[in-house]
Amino acid sequence: MINVAIDGPAGAGKSTISKGAAKELGFIYVDTGALYRTIALSAVRNGIIDDKDAVIKMLESIDVKLGFENGTQCVYLNGEEVSAYIRTPEISMGASKVSAIPKVREFLLDLQRDIAKNNNVIMDGRDIGTVVLPKAECKIFLTASAECRAQRRYKELIEKGENVKYEDVLSDVNERDYNDSHREIAPLKPSEESVIADTSELTLDESIALIVKIIKEHM
Ligand code: DC
């Protein structure tokens, strides 16, 4: 099986680029952030998102599964397909909280590794090359400048009709980068073997072509 690990900061286009590359190569695309979001959804529904011990206790009684329908990933919480409920700002914030709990990361480890054992995958996250799939054939650290990621995010928000200032979006991006790369557990950083791919100056198609080329060089 070919395992490709794609890590990098929020807003670098990991999921869109990984999805495009997976389609071209016939690989399964695994979005691991969705798993942390599913745990967060369960914690929010139970009203315990800010109670670390209760979240850890909750892990004993929940069932999280990944499925694939027509190549699209779905996540299941206790058998319920919850993909439609995990993309809200509340759940993004919650996912960031639960992902800092070591027991939560441990809980999701086997699930991620099992998929990679049985399939050709492109798996995206923050610690895939460093922790989840340290033996991946190909490791890519996908990034773009903070200004560029902030600019993309700013454009998205303006298009949604939200009233935001570019400077505020940029300072959010910088703050999140700092938090992600300085947390104690599984901090965001390239592994030693990672190929660094900077998409600041690339279009989406160019970014996908670059990733596909890097993967083919490692197959
Ligand atoms: O990629 P995303 O925005 O869907 O991720 C949601 C949250 O989960 C984000 O705060 C980072 C965290 N995460 C993580 O810690 N490790 C991963 N492998 C994937 C996501």
Side-chain angles (χ1 to χ4, degrees):
M1 293 298 147
I2 307 285
N3 287 179
V4 179
I6 301 198
D7 294 301
K14 283 194 308 290
S15 64
T16 315
I17 295 168
S18 303
K19 231 181 265 174
K23 195 165 169 215
E24 210 166 309
L25 293 162
F27 285 21
I28 287 185
Y29 162 61
V30 184
D31 162 18
T32 61
L35 298 171
Y36 291 92
R37 288 170 180 273
T38 301
I39 306 254
L41 177 70
S42 180
V44 166
R45 283 180 173 178
N46 287 299
I48 56 163
I49 190 68
D50 289 310
D51 184 342
K52 229 166 102 177
D53 292 332
V55 170
I56 292 169
K57 184 101 189 93
M58 178 188 80
L59 298 175
E60 290 168 15
S61 62
I62 60 170
D63 177 44
V64 175
K65 282 206 172 70
L66 272 183
F68 296 90
E69 271 169 34
N70 304 322
T72 302
Q73 175 180 306
C74 324
V75 275
Y76 297 86
L77 173 62
N78 303 324
E80 177 195 356
E81 213 269 278
V82 295
S83 311
Y85 311 121
I86 59 169
R87 302 286 162 197
T88 65
E90 185 187 22
I91 300 301
S92 298
M93 189 56 74
S96 169
K97 288 179 187 162
V98 300
S99 69
I101 304 174
K103 283 259 190 291
V104 168
R105 307 200 69 88
E106 209 179 294
F107 177 81
L108 294 173
L109 205 50
D110 285 345
L111 180 57
Q112 298 172 80
R113 286 185 176 156
D114 283 348
I115 301 163
K117 209 186 291 168
N118 302 314
N119 301 280
N120 291 328
V121 296
I122 295 184
M123 189 173 284
D124 100 28
R126 304 294 190 285
D127 61 338
I128 309 304
T130 48
V131 178
V132 181
L133 305 176
K135 298 208 173 109
E137 279 71 17
C138 177
K139 299 180 186 180
I140 298 172
F141 194 81
L142 192 69
T143 187
S145 69
E147 289 73 18
C148 174
R149 286 180 287 127
Q151 191 62 50
R152 290 175 190 165
R153 180 85 186 121
Y154 172 72
K155 204 167 145 240
E156 254 172 45
L157 292 169
I158 292 293
E159 277 165 12
K160 273 193 199 160
E162 288 184 37
N163 183 17
V164 288
K165 281 210 248 86
Y166 169 74
E167 288 70 28
D168 294 340
V169 178
L170 178 61
S171 98
D172 277 1
V173 166
N174 281 322
E175 188 182 329
R176 205 139 47 109
D177 281 359
Y178 184 87
N179 289 342
D180 284 353
S181 48
H182 287 80
R183 71 176 174 212
E184 231 162 79
I185 176 158
L188 173 67
K189 61 161 195 252
S191 76
E192 273 170 27
E193 313 94 334
S194 294
V195 178
I196 313 274
D198 188 320
T199 65
S200 302
E201 306 295 329
L202 303 181
T203 63
L204 175 60
D205 285 346
E206 288 168 346
S207 304
I208 294 173
L210 172 65
I211 297 308
V212 168
K213 179 170 162 272
I214 297 171
I215 296 171
K216 283 186 173 160
E217 285 167 2
H218 288 78
M219 277 164 69

